[in-house]
Amino acid sequence: MIIIDGQQSPLEVRHFENLEQLIEKVMEDVRMNSRIVTDVLVNDEAFSEIYPHQAEDMDASHINRVEIVSVPTSEMAQDITRELYKVVTLLGKAGRQVADFFRQADDDQALELYGDLLEVNRDFLNMVGVLRNEFATDTSAEFEASLSDLSTLFSEMIEIQENEDWILLADLLEYEYLPVVENTKNMVARLRESVRASVRKEKNG
């Protein structure tokens, strides 16, 4: 049995050699063109391909039931923009705290939080990349410039850290990084509203 978004498919597991063939056939359906698969359950257990050819190696003779769950691309984009807003808000708060800790000469706590800041900053840039590459969401030139500034400052922050110039790092965070983050936050808010409008339009036909 093959279930796609809660409905039984006319396709049957026995017509395929392995899970990979089955999933490929499902994705050929024109109804899947504007959808993203979020979950695949095999015999009621979540399947995630954590190594190459895992789906190909799963023989169909061992499969009784496959359930595939998908969502519209626009809804996935909306979820990502929601997370982007949360992340960029955290970047602003963390950047301010790190700068304050460095100015107070609380280097240990500053460096611990700074490591988290770098990681969150990297995640944010990666999420934006996914939004563009996977969902082809239009972004303004102003937004692209803000992201470019954020990426450049990210590299400068790492370089200053290597030189252990904490006051200079605090200055960079306070006077350059935080304004760019705030500007980016505004851009993300506008992008989020744009995606929301797209979703509403899609639902209303």
Side-chain angles (χ1 to χ4, degrees):
M1 180 183 295
I2 301 174
I3 306 295
I4 303 174
D5 292 327
Q7 297 185 348
Q8 185 170 342
S9 169
L11 299 173
E12 295 185 25
V13 176
R14 60 186 177 85
H15 292 157
F16 302 94
E17 293 182 7
N18 54 54
L19 180 62
E20 183 178 64
Q21 287 184 3
L22 186 156
I23 293 175
E24 287 178 350
K25 184 63 176 179
V26 169
M27 296 308 296
E28 288 176 3
D29 192 315
V30 293
R31 291 172 296 180
M32 300 298 290
N33 287 348
S34 59
R35 301 185 70 85
I36 299 293
V37 173
T38 57
D39 297 284
V40 175
L41 288 83
V42 178
N43 297 334
D44 295 322
E45 293 186 7
F47 171 81
S48 177
E49 193 163 36
I50 59 177
Y51 63 85
H53 311 300
Q54 185 176 359
E56 182 182 352
D57 293 340
M58 188 169 290
D59 197 306
S61 63
H62 300 145
I63 300 174
N64 298 317
R65 172 188 170 96
V66 174
E67 182 173 357
I68 295 175
V69 181
S70 68
V71 297
T73 300
S74 55
E75 287 188 17
M76 180 65 79
Q78 187 176 17
D79 289 342
I80 291 180
T81 55
R82 186 183 302 114
E83 292 305 310
L84 283 177
Y85 191 82
K86 291 179 182 177
V87 172
V88 76
T89 300
L90 286 174
L91 287 176
K93 291 180 179 179
R96 168 61 62 188
Q97 287 180 319
V98 171
D100 289 344
F101 282 141
F102 276 132
R103 294 198 188 287
Q104 295 165 11
D106 191 348
D107 294 348
D108 289 341
Q109 191 160 359
L111 287 171
E112 182 177 352
L113 185 57
Y114 180 65
D116 293 336
L117 175 64
L118 292 180
E119 185 175 346
V120 173
N121 196 107
R122 187 181 295 109
D123 288 344
F124 174 79
L125 293 173
N126 288 340
M127 289 170 71
V128 173
V130 169
L131 188 65
R132 280 203 301 250
N133 297 335
E134 296 295 330
F135 306 112
T137 301
D138 292 332
T139 51
S140 67
E142 187 179 3
F143 188 35
E144 294 293 339
S146 183
L147 292 175
S148 178
D149 289 343
L150 194 60
S151 181
T152 298
L153 286 171
F154 181 66
S155 299
E156 291 181 14
M157 287 158 59
I158 294 176
E159 183 177 344
I160 293 174
Q161 180 187 7
E162 292 174 351
N163 295 328
E164 298 187 0
D165 191 337
W166 308 134
I167 297 302
L168 179 59
L169 182 54
D171 287 343
L172 181 68
L173 285 168
E174 185 172 356
Y175 300 117
E176 296 187 51
Y177 181 77
L178 289 179
V180 170
V181 167
E182 186 61 27
N183 185 57
T184 304
K185 181 179 177 180
N186 293 333
M187 297 297 102
V188 169
R190 285 160 53 182
L191 176 62
R192 184 179 176 186
E193 288 305 314
S194 175
V195 171
R196 280 176 173 172
S198 177
V199 171
R200 287 195 296 269
K201 183 178 180 181
E202 184 177 294
K203 287 183 176 179
N204 295 331

